[in-house]
Amino acid sequence: MFSIFKKDPVKKLNKLYEAKLEQAMHAQRNGDIKSYSMITAEAEKIANQIQEIESSTKK
């Protein structure tokens, strides 16, 4: 009944994922390759969480 008020966790994670990728892009453009690789690794973890959530809801 109140499912319209529930927040979509995938949507929130997608926003966070996009923000991390943009942050990584800026680090790479500034020449900070170490930060770029660390931020990209964080983005990959978020992408894995998104895939897990999507696969569990499709079953």
Side-chain angles (χ1 to χ4, degrees), residues 19 27 38 51 55 58:
M38 293 177 70
Q51 287 178 344
S55 66
K58 289 184 180 182

Side-chain angles (χ1 to χ4, degrees), residues 2-39:
F2 292 104
S3 64
I4 60 171
F5 298 116
K6 282 188 169 182
K7 296 199 180 218
D8 187 14
V10 175
K11 188 175 180 180
K12 182 179 178 182
L13 286 173
N14 275 330
K15 271 188 177 180
L16 184 61
Y17 176 71
E18 292 295 325
K20 286 289 182 183
L21 289 180
E22 186 173 344
Q23 188 180 8
M25 177 194 65
H26 288 296
Q28 185 182 26
R29 285 186 178 177
N30 290 331
D32 192 1
I33 302 302
K34 185 176 181 179
S35 292
Y36 165 74
S37 62
M38 293 177 70
I39 295 168

